[in-house]
Short mmCIF file of all heavy atoms in Angstrom, two decimals:
data_model
loop_
_atom_site.label_atom_id
_atom_site.label_comp_id
_atom_site.label_asym_id
_atom_site.label_seq_id
_atom_site.Cartn_x
_atom_site.Cartn_y
_atom_site.Cartn_z
N ARG A 147 -16.43 -71.46 44.15
CA ARG A 147 -14.96 -71.50 44.17
C ARG A 147 -14.42 -71.79 42.75
O ARG A 147 -13.41 -71.21 42.35
CB ARG A 147 -14.48 -72.56 45.16
CG ARG A 147 -14.81 -72.26 46.60
CD ARG A 147 -14.15 -73.24 47.55
NE ARG A 147 -12.69 -73.07 47.59
CZ ARG A 147 -12.07 -72.21 48.36
NH1 ARG A 147 -12.76 -71.45 49.21
NH2 ARG A 147 -10.75 -72.10 48.35
N LYS A 148 -15.10 -72.62 42.01
CA LYS A 148 -14.67 -72.87 40.63
C LYS A 148 -14.70 -71.59 39.81
O LYS A 148 -13.77 -71.29 39.05
CB LYS A 148 -15.58 -73.92 39.97
CG LYS A 148 -15.41 -75.34 40.45
CD LYS A 148 -16.30 -76.28 39.65
CE LYS A 148 -16.08 -77.76 40.01
NZ LYS A 148 -16.64 -78.08 41.31
N LEU A 149 -15.76 -70.82 39.96
CA LEU A 149 -15.88 -69.59 39.18
C LEU A 149 -14.77 -68.59 39.55
O LEU A 149 -14.23 -67.97 38.63
CB LEU A 149 -17.26 -68.96 39.47
CG LEU A 149 -18.50 -69.71 38.97
CD1 LEU A 149 -19.77 -68.98 39.35
CD2 LEU A 149 -18.46 -69.96 37.47
N VAL A 150 -14.47 -68.47 40.81
CA VAL A 150 -13.40 -67.55 41.23
C VAL A 150 -12.05 -68.01 40.72
O VAL A 150 -11.25 -67.22 40.20
CB VAL A 150 -13.38 -67.39 42.77
CG1 VAL A 150 -12.18 -66.53 43.17
CG2 VAL A 150 -14.66 -66.74 43.25
N VAL A 151 -11.76 -69.33 40.83
CA VAL A 151 -10.48 -69.86 40.38
C VAL A 151 -10.34 -69.66 38.86
O VAL A 151 -9.25 -69.34 38.36
CB VAL A 151 -10.39 -71.36 40.72
CG1 VAL A 151 -9.17 -72.01 40.03
CG2 VAL A 151 -10.27 -71.54 42.23
N LEU A 152 -11.41 -69.84 38.10
CA LEU A 152 -11.36 -69.62 36.65
C LEU A 152 -11.05 -68.17 36.31
O LEU A 152 -10.40 -67.88 35.31
CB LEU A 152 -12.69 -70.04 36.02
CG LEU A 152 -12.96 -71.53 35.95
CD1 LEU A 152 -14.39 -71.80 35.45
CD2 LEU A 152 -11.96 -72.26 35.08
N GLU A 153 -11.49 -67.27 37.19
CA GLU A 153 -11.21 -65.84 36.96
C GLU A 153 -9.74 -65.53 37.21
O GLU A 153 -9.16 -64.65 36.56
CB GLU A 153 -12.03 -64.99 37.94
CG GLU A 153 -13.54 -65.02 37.67
CD GLU A 153 -13.98 -63.90 36.75
OE1 GLU A 153 -13.24 -62.94 36.60
OE2 GLU A 153 -15.08 -64.04 36.20
N LYS A 154 -9.10 -66.26 38.11
CA LYS A 154 -7.72 -65.95 38.52
C LYS A 154 -6.69 -66.44 37.48
O LYS A 154 -5.64 -65.82 37.32
CB LYS A 154 -7.41 -66.57 39.88
CG LYS A 154 -8.17 -65.90 41.03
CD LYS A 154 -7.83 -66.56 42.35
CE LYS A 154 -8.55 -65.87 43.51
NZ LYS A 154 -8.15 -64.47 43.67
N HIS A 155 -6.92 -67.54 36.82
CA HIS A 155 -6.02 -68.10 35.82
C HIS A 155 -4.64 -68.35 36.44
O HIS A 155 -3.61 -68.06 35.81
CB HIS A 155 -5.87 -67.16 34.61
CG HIS A 155 -7.16 -66.85 33.92
ND1 HIS A 155 -7.87 -67.79 33.20
CD2 HIS A 155 -7.89 -65.71 33.91
CE1 HIS A 155 -8.96 -67.24 32.71
NE2 HIS A 155 -9.03 -65.99 33.13
N LYS A 156 -4.59 -68.86 37.65
CA LYS A 156 -3.31 -69.09 38.31
C LYS A 156 -3.21 -70.54 38.78
O LYS A 156 -4.16 -71.11 39.31
CB LYS A 156 -3.13 -68.16 39.52
CG LYS A 156 -2.97 -66.70 39.19
CD LYS A 156 -2.77 -65.87 40.43
CE LYS A 156 -2.60 -64.39 40.12
NZ LYS A 156 -2.44 -63.58 41.35
N LEU A 157 -2.02 -71.13 38.58
CA LEU A 157 -1.82 -72.49 39.05
C LEU A 157 -1.88 -72.58 40.55
O LEU A 157 -2.41 -73.56 41.10
CB LEU A 157 -0.42 -72.99 38.58
CG LEU A 157 0.00 -74.39 39.06
CD1 LEU A 157 -0.97 -75.46 38.56
CD2 LEU A 157 1.42 -74.69 38.60
N SER A 158 -1.39 -71.55 41.24
CA SER A 158 -1.41 -71.57 42.71
C SER A 158 -2.84 -71.67 43.25
O SER A 158 -3.07 -72.30 44.29
CB SER A 158 -0.74 -70.31 43.27
OG SER A 158 -1.39 -69.15 42.79
N ALA A 159 -3.82 -71.05 42.56
CA ALA A 159 -5.19 -71.09 42.99
C ALA A 159 -5.74 -72.53 42.86
O ALA A 159 -6.50 -72.97 43.72
CB ALA A 159 -6.04 -70.14 42.15
N LEU A 160 -5.36 -73.22 41.79
CA LEU A 160 -5.78 -74.60 41.60
C LEU A 160 -5.16 -75.50 42.66
O LEU A 160 -5.82 -76.40 43.22
CB LEU A 160 -5.39 -75.09 40.21
CG LEU A 160 -6.17 -74.49 39.07
CD1 LEU A 160 -5.51 -74.77 37.72
CD2 LEU A 160 -7.62 -75.02 39.05
N LEU A 161 -3.90 -75.29 43.00
CA LEU A 161 -3.23 -76.09 44.02
C LEU A 161 -3.87 -75.86 45.38
O LEU A 161 -3.94 -76.80 46.21
CB LEU A 161 -1.74 -75.77 44.04
CG LEU A 161 -0.97 -76.13 42.77
CD1 LEU A 161 0.53 -75.72 42.93
CD2 LEU A 161 -1.07 -77.62 42.48
N ASP A 162 -4.30 -74.64 45.63
CA ASP A 162 -5.01 -74.35 46.91
C ASP A 162 -6.29 -75.15 47.01
O ASP A 162 -6.70 -75.57 48.11
CB ASP A 162 -5.33 -72.85 47.00
CG ASP A 162 -4.09 -72.02 47.33
OD1 ASP A 162 -3.08 -72.60 47.76
OD2 ASP A 162 -4.12 -70.78 47.10
N GLU A 163 -6.95 -75.38 45.88
CA GLU A 163 -8.19 -76.18 45.88
C GLU A 163 -7.90 -77.62 46.26
O GLU A 163 -8.72 -78.28 46.87
CB GLU A 163 -8.88 -76.09 44.51
CG GLU A 163 -9.39 -74.70 44.17
CD GLU A 163 -10.30 -74.14 45.24
OE1 GLU A 163 -11.42 -74.66 45.42
OE2 GLU A 163 -9.87 -73.21 45.94
N LEU A 164 -6.77 -78.13 45.82
CA LEU A 164 -6.39 -79.52 46.21
C LEU A 164 -6.20 -79.58 47.71
O LEU A 164 -6.57 -80.56 48.35
CB LEU A 164 -5.10 -79.95 45.48
CG LEU A 164 -5.25 -80.18 43.96
CD1 LEU A 164 -3.90 -80.59 43.39
CD2 LEU A 164 -6.30 -81.27 43.68
N LEU A 165 -5.58 -78.56 48.29
CA LEU A 165 -5.35 -78.52 49.74
C LEU A 165 -6.68 -78.46 50.50
O LEU A 165 -6.88 -79.19 51.48
CB LEU A 165 -4.49 -77.32 50.11
CG LEU A 165 -3.04 -77.35 49.63
CD1 LEU A 165 -2.36 -76.03 49.99
CD2 LEU A 165 -2.29 -78.52 50.25
N LEU A 166 -7.61 -77.63 50.02
CA LEU A 166 -8.89 -77.52 50.72
C LEU A 166 -9.68 -78.82 50.63
O LEU A 166 -10.22 -79.30 51.63
CB LEU A 166 -9.71 -76.38 50.11
CG LEU A 166 -11.15 -76.28 50.65
CD1 LEU A 166 -11.16 -75.97 52.15
CD2 LEU A 166 -11.94 -75.21 49.90
N SER A 167 -9.78 -79.39 49.43
CA SER A 167 -10.56 -80.60 49.31
C SER A 167 -9.95 -81.76 50.07
O SER A 167 -10.68 -82.64 50.62
CB SER A 167 -10.74 -81.00 47.82
OG SER A 167 -9.51 -81.05 47.17
N ALA A 168 -8.63 -81.80 50.19
CA ALA A 168 -7.97 -82.83 51.01
C ALA A 168 -8.31 -82.63 52.48
O ALA A 168 -8.52 -83.60 53.24
CB ALA A 168 -6.45 -82.77 50.81
N LEU A 169 -8.44 -81.37 52.91
CA LEU A 169 -8.79 -81.08 54.29
C LEU A 169 -10.24 -81.50 54.55
O LEU A 169 -10.54 -82.06 55.61
CB LEU A 169 -8.64 -79.56 54.56
CG LEU A 169 -8.80 -79.09 55.98
CD1 LEU A 169 -7.90 -79.85 56.94
CD2 LEU A 169 -8.54 -77.60 56.07
N VAL A 170 -11.12 -81.29 53.60
CA VAL A 170 -12.50 -81.76 53.72
C VAL A 170 -12.54 -83.29 53.82
O VAL A 170 -13.27 -83.87 54.64
CB VAL A 170 -13.35 -81.27 52.52
CG1 VAL A 170 -14.71 -81.98 52.49
CG2 VAL A 170 -13.55 -79.77 52.58
N LEU A 171 -11.75 -83.95 52.99
CA LEU A 171 -11.72 -85.41 52.99
C LEU A 171 -11.14 -85.97 54.28
O LEU A 171 -11.38 -87.13 54.60
CB LEU A 171 -10.91 -85.91 51.80
CG LEU A 171 -11.54 -85.69 50.43
CD1 LEU A 171 -10.58 -86.00 49.29
CD2 LEU A 171 -12.83 -86.55 50.26
N SER A 172 -10.41 -85.18 55.04
CA SER A 172 -9.87 -85.66 56.30
C SER A 172 -10.96 -85.98 57.32
O SER A 172 -10.79 -86.80 58.20
CB SER A 172 -8.88 -84.63 56.88
OG SER A 172 -9.55 -83.49 57.39
N TYR A 173 -12.12 -85.28 57.19
CA TYR A 173 -13.21 -85.59 58.11
C TYR A 173 -14.43 -86.22 57.39
O TYR A 173 -15.30 -86.79 58.03
CB TYR A 173 -13.66 -84.32 58.88
CG TYR A 173 -14.61 -83.40 58.12
CD1 TYR A 173 -15.98 -83.61 58.17
CD2 TYR A 173 -14.12 -82.33 57.37
CE1 TYR A 173 -16.87 -82.75 57.49
CE2 TYR A 173 -14.98 -81.49 56.69
CZ TYR A 173 -16.34 -81.71 56.77
OH TYR A 173 -17.20 -80.87 56.08
N SER A 174 -14.45 -86.12 56.06
CA SER A 174 -15.54 -86.74 55.29
C SER A 174 -14.94 -87.45 54.07
O SER A 174 -15.04 -86.93 52.93
CB SER A 174 -16.55 -85.65 54.84
OG SER A 174 -17.62 -86.23 54.15
N PRO A 175 -14.29 -88.59 54.27
CA PRO A 175 -13.52 -89.26 53.20
C PRO A 175 -14.34 -89.79 52.05
O PRO A 175 -13.77 -90.17 51.02
CB PRO A 175 -12.81 -90.42 53.95
CG PRO A 175 -13.67 -90.66 55.14
CD PRO A 175 -14.21 -89.30 55.56
N LYS A 176 -15.66 -89.78 52.19
CA LYS A 176 -16.53 -90.25 51.11
C LYS A 176 -17.34 -89.13 50.45
O LYS A 176 -18.31 -89.39 49.74
CB LYS A 176 -17.46 -91.34 51.61
CG LYS A 176 -16.73 -92.59 52.12
CD LYS A 176 -17.69 -93.68 52.56
CE LYS A 176 -16.93 -94.91 53.05
NZ LYS A 176 -17.80 -96.02 53.42
N SER A 177 -16.89 -87.89 50.66
CA SER A 177 -17.61 -86.76 50.10
C SER A 177 -17.54 -86.74 48.59
O SER A 177 -16.47 -86.54 47.99
CB SER A 177 -17.01 -85.44 50.66
OG SER A 177 -17.54 -84.32 49.98
N GLU A 178 -18.66 -86.91 47.98
CA GLU A 178 -18.72 -86.94 46.50
C GLU A 178 -18.33 -85.59 45.92
O GLU A 178 -17.66 -85.51 44.88
CB GLU A 178 -20.12 -87.35 46.05
CG GLU A 178 -20.24 -87.52 44.54
CD GLU A 178 -21.59 -88.11 44.14
OE1 GLU A 178 -22.38 -88.47 45.02
OE2 GLU A 178 -21.81 -88.23 42.91
N TYR A 179 -18.74 -84.51 46.57
CA TYR A 179 -18.40 -83.17 46.07
C TYR A 179 -16.89 -82.92 46.12
O TYR A 179 -16.31 -82.35 45.20
CB TYR A 179 -19.14 -82.10 46.91
CG TYR A 179 -20.56 -81.88 46.48
CD1 TYR A 179 -21.60 -82.43 47.21
CD2 TYR A 179 -20.86 -81.08 45.36
CE1 TYR A 179 -22.94 -82.21 46.83
CE2 TYR A 179 -22.18 -80.87 45.02
CZ TYR A 179 -23.21 -81.44 45.73
OH TYR A 179 -24.52 -81.24 45.36
N ALA A 180 -16.26 -83.37 47.21
CA ALA A 180 -14.83 -83.12 47.33
C ALA A 180 -14.02 -83.92 46.31
O ALA A 180 -13.10 -83.36 45.68
CB ALA A 180 -14.33 -83.49 48.75
N TRP A 181 -14.40 -85.16 46.09
CA TRP A 181 -13.68 -85.98 45.06
C TRP A 181 -13.96 -85.39 43.66
O TRP A 181 -13.05 -85.33 42.84
CB TRP A 181 -14.15 -87.42 45.14
CG TRP A 181 -13.61 -88.18 46.31
CD1 TRP A 181 -14.30 -88.73 47.33
CD2 TRP A 181 -12.21 -88.46 46.56
NE1 TRP A 181 -13.46 -89.37 48.24
CE2 TRP A 181 -12.18 -89.21 47.78
CE3 TRP A 181 -11.03 -88.19 45.93
CZ2 TRP A 181 -10.98 -89.66 48.34
CZ3 TRP A 181 -9.85 -88.64 46.48
CH2 TRP A 181 -9.83 -89.36 47.66
N GLY A 182 -15.18 -84.98 43.42
CA GLY A 182 -15.49 -84.36 42.13
C GLY A 182 -14.73 -83.08 41.90
O GLY A 182 -14.29 -82.80 40.80
N HIS A 183 -14.56 -82.31 42.96
CA HIS A 183 -13.82 -81.06 42.85
C HIS A 183 -12.35 -81.35 42.51
O HIS A 183 -11.73 -80.62 41.71
CB HIS A 183 -13.91 -80.28 44.18
CG HIS A 183 -13.50 -78.86 44.06
ND1 HIS A 183 -14.24 -77.92 43.38
CD2 HIS A 183 -12.41 -78.19 44.57
CE1 HIS A 183 -13.66 -76.72 43.46
NE2 HIS A 183 -12.53 -76.87 44.17
N ARG A 184 -11.80 -82.38 43.11
CA ARG A 184 -10.40 -82.73 42.81
C ARG A 184 -10.25 -83.14 41.35
O ARG A 184 -9.23 -82.81 40.68
CB ARG A 184 -9.94 -83.87 43.72
CG ARG A 184 -9.87 -83.46 45.18
CD ARG A 184 -9.23 -84.56 46.06
NE ARG A 184 -7.79 -84.54 45.92
CZ ARG A 184 -6.98 -83.72 46.58
NH1 ARG A 184 -7.49 -82.82 47.40
NH2 ARG A 184 -5.68 -83.77 46.42
N LYS A 185 -11.21 -83.86 40.80
CA LYS A 185 -11.16 -84.23 39.38
C LYS A 185 -11.13 -82.97 38.51
O LYS A 185 -10.37 -82.88 37.56
CB LYS A 185 -12.36 -85.11 39.01
CG LYS A 185 -12.24 -86.53 39.50
CD LYS A 185 -13.41 -87.38 38.97
CE LYS A 185 -13.27 -88.82 39.41
NZ LYS A 185 -14.37 -89.67 38.91
N TRP A 186 -11.99 -82.04 38.85
CA TRP A 186 -12.05 -80.79 38.07
C TRP A 186 -10.73 -80.04 38.12
O TRP A 186 -10.24 -79.54 37.11
CB TRP A 186 -13.18 -79.90 38.61
CG TRP A 186 -13.21 -78.55 37.95
CD1 TRP A 186 -13.78 -78.25 36.74
CD2 TRP A 186 -12.66 -77.33 38.47
NE1 TRP A 186 -13.59 -76.89 36.49
CE2 TRP A 186 -12.92 -76.31 37.52
CE3 TRP A 186 -11.98 -77.01 39.64
CZ2 TRP A 186 -12.51 -75.00 37.69
CZ3 TRP A 186 -11.57 -75.69 39.82
CH2 TRP A 186 -11.81 -74.72 38.84
N VAL A 187 -10.12 -80.01 39.32
CA VAL A 187 -8.83 -79.31 39.48
C VAL A 187 -7.75 -79.98 38.66
O VAL A 187 -6.98 -79.31 37.94
CB VAL A 187 -8.42 -79.28 40.97
CG1 VAL A 187 -6.98 -78.76 41.11
CG2 VAL A 187 -9.38 -78.39 41.79
N ILE A 188 -7.66 -81.31 38.72
CA ILE A 188 -6.63 -82.03 37.99
C ILE A 188 -6.80 -81.88 36.48
O ILE A 188 -5.82 -81.70 35.74
CB ILE A 188 -6.60 -83.50 38.41
CG1 ILE A 188 -6.15 -83.61 39.86
CG2 ILE A 188 -5.68 -84.33 37.50
CD1 ILE A 188 -6.24 -85.02 40.45
N LYS A 189 -8.06 -81.91 36.02
CA LYS A 189 -8.30 -81.67 34.59
C LYS A 189 -7.82 -80.29 34.19
O LYS A 189 -7.23 -80.10 33.14
CB LYS A 189 -9.80 -81.82 34.29
CG LYS A 189 -10.31 -83.26 34.27
CD LYS A 189 -11.79 -83.27 33.98
CE LYS A 189 -12.37 -84.66 33.94
NZ LYS A 189 -13.84 -84.68 33.71
N SER A 190 -8.11 -79.31 35.05
CA SER A 190 -7.72 -77.91 34.75
C SER A 190 -6.19 -77.78 34.72
O SER A 190 -5.65 -77.10 33.86
CB SER A 190 -8.32 -76.98 35.78
OG SER A 190 -9.73 -77.05 35.78
N ILE A 191 -5.53 -78.44 35.67
CA ILE A 191 -4.07 -78.38 35.73
C ILE A 191 -3.46 -79.03 34.49
O ILE A 191 -2.46 -78.55 33.93
CB ILE A 191 -3.55 -79.05 37.02
CG1 ILE A 191 -3.93 -78.23 38.23
CG2 ILE A 191 -2.02 -79.19 36.96
CD1 ILE A 191 -3.55 -78.84 39.56
N SER A 192 -4.06 -80.12 34.04
CA SER A 192 -3.52 -80.85 32.88
C SER A 192 -3.56 -80.01 31.62
O SER A 192 -2.76 -80.23 30.70
CB SER A 192 -4.32 -82.13 32.65
OG SER A 192 -5.64 -81.86 32.17
N GLU A 193 -4.42 -79.02 31.59
CA GLU A 193 -4.51 -78.14 30.43
C GLU A 193 -3.57 -76.94 30.49
O GLU A 193 -3.42 -76.23 29.54
CB GLU A 193 -5.96 -77.62 30.30
CG GLU A 193 -6.97 -78.74 30.08
CD GLU A 193 -8.40 -78.21 30.24
OE1 GLU A 193 -8.56 -77.03 30.54
OE2 GLU A 193 -9.35 -79.03 30.03
N LYS A 194 -2.92 -76.78 31.67
CA LYS A 194 -2.14 -75.55 31.88
C LYS A 194 -0.63 -75.78 32.05
O LYS A 194 0.16 -74.90 31.72
CB LYS A 194 -2.66 -74.81 33.13
CG LYS A 194 -4.07 -74.31 33.00
CD LYS A 194 -4.52 -73.62 34.30
CE LYS A 194 -5.95 -73.12 34.17
NZ LYS A 194 -6.09 -72.05 33.16
N CYS A 195 -0.23 -76.94 32.57
CA CYS A 195 1.21 -77.07 32.91
C CYS A 195 1.67 -78.50 32.75
O CYS A 195 0.90 -79.42 32.43
CB CYS A 195 1.45 -76.61 34.33
SG CYS A 195 0.70 -77.68 35.55
N SER A 196 2.96 -78.68 32.94
CA SER A 196 3.60 -79.97 32.75
C SER A 196 3.97 -80.64 34.09
O SER A 196 4.76 -81.59 34.12
CB SER A 196 4.88 -79.83 31.92
OG SER A 196 5.76 -78.90 32.51
N THR A 197 3.45 -80.14 35.19
CA THR A 197 3.77 -80.70 36.50
C THR A 197 2.81 -81.83 36.90
O THR A 197 2.79 -82.23 38.06
CB THR A 197 3.73 -79.62 37.56
OG1 THR A 197 2.41 -79.04 37.61
CG2 THR A 197 4.77 -78.52 37.27
N LEU A 198 1.99 -82.31 35.97
CA LEU A 198 0.94 -83.25 36.30
C LEU A 198 1.46 -84.58 36.86
O LEU A 198 0.87 -85.13 37.79
CB LEU A 198 0.06 -83.52 35.07
CG LEU A 198 -1.29 -84.17 35.36
CD1 LEU A 198 -2.13 -83.29 36.30
CD2 LEU A 198 -2.05 -84.45 34.08
N PRO A 199 2.56 -85.16 36.32
CA PRO A 199 3.04 -86.45 36.87
C PRO A 199 3.27 -86.39 38.38
O PRO A 199 2.87 -87.33 39.12
CB PRO A 199 4.33 -86.69 36.13
CG PRO A 199 4.14 -86.01 34.82
CD PRO A 199 3.34 -84.78 35.13
#
Side-chain angles (χ1 to χ4, degrees):
R147 294 187 69 86
K148 288 185 175 73
L149 294 179
V150 173
V151 170
L152 288 174
E153 293 268 341
K154 291 180 178 296
H155 303 290
K156 292 181 180 179
L157 176 61
S158 59
L160 290 166
L161 296 178
D162 286 343
E163 294 307 290
L164 289 180
L165 292 175
L166 173 63
S167 53
L169 188 54
V170 169
L171 290 170
S172 72
Y173 82 87
S174 183
K176 297 183 179 182
S177 170
E178 187 172 354
Y179 278 100
W181 287 117
H183 195 68
R184 295 188 77 81
K185 285 185 178 180
W186 175 81
V187 170
I188 293 173
K189 284 180 181 178
S190 300
I191 292 176
S192 70
E193 299 169 357
K194 296 178 180 295
C195 68
S196 58
T197 60
L198 197 61

